[in-house]
């Protein structure tokens, strides 16, 4: 990989929407299967609700559970759980 393509890749991966998807990706992983399971087994399957329901559950759990827990972690351990420092910074 050349220097130009690494720089381009870094800029692409540093885009705010992609960074945000990375932050909530675990929640998407956790919530997608239970929501799919429930929607498939409902009286009238509404699979079109899959992505909106998954994203809604993910965002709720991220803002109401994950972020507060990361703040507690930072408070009691002295480690910043919400914002990781870039390599090379002290």
């Amino acid at each position: 990989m050349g220097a130009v393509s690494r720089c381009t890749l870094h800029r692409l991966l540093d885009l705010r929407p992609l960074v945000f998807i990375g932050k909530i990706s675990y929640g998407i992983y956790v919530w997608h299967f239970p929501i799919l399971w429930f929607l498939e087994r409902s009286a009238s399957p509404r699979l079109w609700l899959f992505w909106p329901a998954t994203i809604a559950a993910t965002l709720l759990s991220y803002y109401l559970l994950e972020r507060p827990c990361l703040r507690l972690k930072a408070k009691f351990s002295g480690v910043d759980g919400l914002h990781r420092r870039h390599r090379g910074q002290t």
Side-chain angles (χ1 to χ4, degrees):
M1 218 183 224
V4 173
S5 60
R6 280 189 206 160
C7 185
T8 303
L9 180 61
H10 179 73
R11 277 186 280 173
L12 176 67
L13 294 175
D14 209 27
L15 291 173
R16 291 184 80 155
L18 290 180
V19 171
F20 184 71
I21 289 171
K23 287 182 179 183
I24 67 168
S25 63
Y26 182 72
I28 294 170
Y29 167 74
V30 167
W31 285 108
H32 86 280
F33 186 75
I35 290 171
L36 183 62
W37 183 87
F38 177 77
L39 290 174
E40 284 180 340
R41 284 154 184 80
S42 63
S44 57
R46 295 182 175 99
L47 293 181
W48 62 270
L49 283 173
F50 173 70
W51 280 111
T54 300
I55 297 301
T58 297
L59 292 175
L60 283 171
S61 67
Y62 178 73
Y63 285 109
L64 298 177
L65 182 66
E66 189 173 345
R67 284 184 59 142
C69 288
L70 289 173
R71 285 192 187 106
L72 280 175
K73 175 185 173 184
K75 180 179 179 180
F76 290 108
S77 70
V79 174
D80 186 356
L82 291 177
H83 305 288
R84 296 179 187 219
R85 294 182 178 163
H86 291 296
R87 291 182 194 171
Q89 290 181 345
T90 55

